[in-house]
Amino acid sequence: MLKWALIFFVISIIAGVFGFTGISAAASGIARILFFIAVVVFVIFLVLALMAGQAIL
């Protein structure tokens, strides 16, 4: 998911350089949403891994 966020971020930068501000804003919004979803999924998996690790001990 971070890969797609990075791809949309690069698209946003390239579109902004060429003056396509609407496309740039849309790609930036998509990249931001994907990044935050990836962070939330990472935190959930981190908590689950810590809980599973304590259950084994």
Side-chain angles (χ1 to χ4, degrees), residues 29-47:
I30 292 171
R32 185 177 300 132
I33 290 169
L34 288 176
F35 174 75
F36 285 122
I37 289 173
V39 169
V40 167
V41 169
F42 170 74
V43 170
I44 289 170
F45 281 140
L46 182 65
V47 168

Side-chain angles (χ1 to χ4, degrees), residues 14-32:
I14 292 171
V17 167
F18 288 121
F20 298 109
T21 56
I23 296 172
S24 176
S28 173
I30 292 171
R32 185 177 300 132

